[in-house]
């Protein structure tokens, strides 16, 4: 009983990754959004991708909305760090057109609906 | 020398986004006023960064210095702010007045608010830091902020 209390107290305080509180984490997220938003016209120009600036901005908004529900500050920091890494690679043109177009590709295969696709997939 | 350039480029890369934001405005102004030809497309990022950093500073200063008398009045600022807000496609034009709160009345979220502040930065040509940006929650606040920054008193 006492050990459980001690564990709970120890787990409540964790070392922060970047931000100490929600306000700071929020600032980092909004700054990342701003940086990406401003970079998008140059991405479209440099990589010559077949998407318009509006479509890219929509995709940016979708990517941020994917993690809207996250509340853990360390997870938010980690996502911001990963986003910043992606931004750096995109700005410096270390990526190539395919890497940028990956954002527009769905990562999950849609489930088969018609008979033949289900048969070939094994009647899942 | 090459290492120095590389180091500078690395340091500038993160801030390149902000820098490039000022670039188009400054170069467009330069083209209109002085006929300076700046080659934006097809230049390597590092060379563009190093050269454009100086150019954008000089061109931005020239803009204010060459037209010292031309300052927008408060009415003009109000018009411009409202026009930018109306152009934003998530804003319903009929609900928009100077006192409508972006988050509460217009139902926008914080990312939309960031986009609106960025549009204001592009419109008026100066950076709005985050600490100030999160307090600008109504068009009236933005008008007052711009008037303070540009030293326009009624």
């Amino acid at each position: 009983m006492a050990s459980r209390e001690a564990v709970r107290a120890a787990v409540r305080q964790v070392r922060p990754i970047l931000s100490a509180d929600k306000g700071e984490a929020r600032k980092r997220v909004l700054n990342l959004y701003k940086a990406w938003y401003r970079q998008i016209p140059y991405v479209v120009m440099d990589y010559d991708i077949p998407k318009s600036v509006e479509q890219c901005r929509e995709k940016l908004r979708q990517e941020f909305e994917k993690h809207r529900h996250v509340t853990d500050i360390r997870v938010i920091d980690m996502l911001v760090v990963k986003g910043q890494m992606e931004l750096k690679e995109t700005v410096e043109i270390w990526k190539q057109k395919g890497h940028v177009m990956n954002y527009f590709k769905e990562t999950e295969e849609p489930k088969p609906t018609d008979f033949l696709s289900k048969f070939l997939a094994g009647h899942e | 020398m090459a290492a120095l350039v590389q180091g500078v480029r690395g340091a500038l890369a993160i801030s390149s986004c902000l820098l490039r934001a000022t670039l188009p405005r400054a170069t467009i102004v330069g083209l209109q006023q002085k006929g300076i030809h700046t080659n934006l497309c097809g230049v390597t990022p590092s060379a563009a960064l190093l050269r454009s950093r100086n150019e954008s500073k000089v061109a931005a200063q020239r803009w204010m210095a060459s037209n010292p008398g031309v300052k927008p009045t408060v009415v003009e600022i109000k018009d411009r702010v409202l026009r930018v807000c109306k152009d934003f496609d998530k804003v319903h034009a009929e609900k928009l007045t100077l006192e409508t709160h972006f988050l509460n009345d217009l139902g926008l979220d914080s990312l939309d608010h960031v986009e609106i502040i960025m549009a204001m930065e592009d419109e008026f040509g100066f950076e709005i830091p985050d600490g100030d940006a999160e307090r600008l929650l109504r068009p009236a606040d933005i008008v007052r902020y711009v008037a303070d920054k540009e030293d326009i008193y009624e």
Side-chain angles (χ1 to χ4, degrees):
Chain A
M1 209 50 186
S3 66
R4 213 184 304 159
E5 301 294 331
V7 162
R8 217 177 293 155
V11 159
R12 216 173 287 146
Q13 295 177 18
V14 217
R15 264 177 68 136
I17 295 183
L18 284 177
S19 347
D21 57 355
K22 286 217 101 171
E24 217 184 307
R26 190 189 138 91
K27 271 193 203 151
R28 281 183 208 274
V29 170
L30 295 181
N31 268 328
L32 184 69
Y33 185 78
K34 250 179 125 166
W36 266 110
Y37 194 89
R38 285 258 156 82
Q39 188 61 27
I40 279 176
Y42 299 97
V43 168
V44 171
M45 196 169 64
D46 290 334
Y47 291 89
D48 191 25
I49 52 179
K51 298 273 172 186
S52 71
V53 171
E54 287 80 26
Q55 285 172 313
C56 292
R57 287 197 162 135
E58 226 180 273
K59 177 53 73 172
L60 170 69
R61 177 60 76 103
Q62 274 175 27
E63 296 285 324
F64 271 75
E65 293 285 339
K66 255 201 281 186
H67 303 289
R68 175 180 268 270
H69 59 280
V70 176
T71 51
D72 189 354
I73 299 179
R74 285 158 59 91
V75 174
I76 295 175
D77 284 341
M78 210 51 194
L79 290 168
V80 164
V81 162
K82 289 181 83 79
Q84 184 65 33
M85 279 161 46
E86 297 280 320
L87 177 63
K88 172 88 173 174
E89 287 165 12
T90 313
V91 163
E92 299 278 349
I93 321 191
W94 295 336
K95 290 194 184 209
Q96 280 143 4
K97 194 194 281 203
H99 299 111
V100 174
M101 286 308 286
N102 271 338
Y103 287 114
F104 295 94
K105 178 173 170 279
E106 297 304 320
T107 49
E108 288 172 358
E109 295 258 338
K111 286 196 99 143
T113 42
D114 58 327
F115 171 75
L116 195 59
S117 315
K118 279 202 281 192
F119 177 74
L120 293 170
H123 283 295
E124 285 300 324
Chain B
M1 186 59 196
L4 182 71
V5 168
Q6 293 240 348
V8 167
R9 176 165 41 124
L12 282 175
I14 298 294
S15 60
S16 70
C17 319
L18 288 172
L19 188 64
R20 279 173 150 174
T22 57
L23 228 193
R25 188 170 197 86
T27 51
I28 287 168
V29 164
L31 279 167
Q32 282 171 354
Q33 286 201 322
K34 309 281 177 184
I36 300 166
H37 171 65
T38 46
N39 185 12
L40 188 56
C41 312
V43 178
T44 60
S46 55
L49 278 175
L50 292 174
R51 193 182 53 210
S52 63
R53 177 169 238 194
N54 304 323
E55 265 178 10
S56 68
K57 272 196 196 139
V58 167
Q61 281 162 12
R62 260 188 233 147
W63 170 245
M64 279 299 158
S66 61
N67 296 340
V70 178
K71 273 196 180 169
T73 61
V74 176
V75 180
E76 266 180 47
I77 297 180
K78 279 194 190 131
D79 285 334
R80 281 163 82 174
V81 165
L82 285 177
R83 197 184 337 128
V84 169
C85 289
K86 284 204 182 88
D87 286 341
F88 202 65
D89 49 351
K90 288 196 196 156
V91 166
H92 306 286
E94 60 274 359
K95 281 202 266 181
L96 182 70
T97 67
L98 277 176
E99 295 294 328
T100 45
H101 198 270
F102 289 131
L103 307 183
N104 300 341
D105 299 335
L106 292 170
L108 305 173
D109 63 359
S110 50
L111 294 179
D112 292 321
H113 178 236
V114 170
E115 287 183 23
I116 288 181
I117 298 291
M118 273 198 272
M120 297 296 162
E121 284 180 356
D122 293 336
E123 170 75 21
F124 294 105
F126 64 89
E127 280 275 332
I128 301 177
D130 299 328
D132 298 339
E134 61 189 22
R135 281 184 276 123
L136 301 176
L137 293 165
R138 295 173 306 163
D141 298 338
I142 301 176
V143 170
R144 205 176 313 132
Y145 183 82
V146 172
D148 290 341
K149 283 280 164 170
E150 302 276 340
D151 289 331
I152 300 158
Y153 304 107
E154 276 256 305

